Amino acid sequence: GSAVDINSVTMANGSSLIANSTFSGNVTYTRNLATTNWYLVSSPVIGQDIDTFAAAEGLLASGSNINNMGLASYDNTSSAWSYYQSGASGTGAFASASGRSIKLAAAGDISFTGTMAVDNVNHAITNGYNLVGNPYPSYIAANTGADSSNNILTVNTSILSEATLWFWNQATNTYDAINQASSSM
């Protein structure tokens, strides 16, 4: 309930950190990608540079186009993936709540380092499919549960054309639909 000042926090795969007040210092959030399948991720911190991330991971898969790397954003305008290019520079930081697809050449860990968002994060959505991710290093309720008035679907019902979230399931290579009729998440 009070301010926390730290130098840094390192978070292991599957951990969660919730700040009830101000929070300063760097957070390094590690996530394990257990296969070489495609995953959908977003940076759970503010300020992670994309070029630094790509260089540090060093394990991004190569595409059929030799310059395409296994990191991409979805472009609703062209209904296509926009792949990170080998040797890119000046790309900038991951935008909060902006989802990306990622594929590694070998299974392993990826890490995001930056500061932690403690305020609401707004992310513009457009018609069509939107790849939106969790901008926090903590859990966000997706549907009904103990506090159904404070889940992402209920809070955003008025701006959604369909109150459904589609989660990529890399194990089955399909999307899992979650809506208000789904079991609690």
Side-chain angles (χ1 to χ4, degrees):
S2 61
V4 175
D5 292 313
I6 59 151
N7 290 327
S8 65
V9 170
T10 302
M11 299 178 65
N13 186 61
S15 61
S16 182
L17 177 62
I18 299 173
N20 291 322
S21 184
T22 60
F23 187 95
S24 64
N26 277 335
V27 173
T28 298
Y29 186 91
T30 300
R31 178 164 175 202
N32 180 264
L33 304 184
T35 70
T36 57
N37 295 343
W38 283 100
Y39 288 79
L40 298 180
V41 301
S42 68
S43 179
V45 297
I46 298 168
Q48 172 65 67
D49 181 75
I50 296 170
D51 300 326
T52 302
F53 174 84
E57 298 318 318
L59 297 173
L60 293 177
S62 299
S64 54
N65 172 334
I66 193 82
N67 291 324
N68 286 353
M69 302 302 294
L71 182 63
S73 57
Y74 187 75
D75 181 355
N76 273 355
T77 305
S78 63
S79 297
W81 292 98
S82 177
Y83 292 94
Y84 181 79
Q85 298 297 295
S86 177
S89 63
T91 307
F94 286 98
S96 290
S98 179
R100 302 285 172 130
S101 61
I102 187 168
K103 181 179 177 75
L104 300 180
D109 291 341
I110 59 171
S111 294
F112 297 91
T113 300
T115 58
M116 183 171 125
V118 293
D119 294 318
N120 289 341
V121 172
N122 293 314
H123 183 73
I125 58 173
T126 59
N127 288 332
Y129 293 106
N130 290 267
L131 183 50
V132 179
N134 183 350
Y136 307 104
S138 59
Y139 177 85
I140 294 179
N143 62 359
T144 57
D147 184 6
S148 62
S149 66
N150 193 25
N151 70 61
I152 198 166
L153 288 174
T154 300
V155 171
N156 293 291
T157 297
S158 65
I159 60 172
L160 296 172
S161 60
E162 180 181 339
T164 302
L165 301 173
W166 299 87
F167 290 90
W168 179 250
N169 183 334
Q170 63 80 32
T172 60
N173 211 30
T174 61
Y175 288 95
D176 296 335
I178 303 296
N179 56 39
Q180 297 290 25
S182 304
S183 62
S184 183
M185 278 190 78

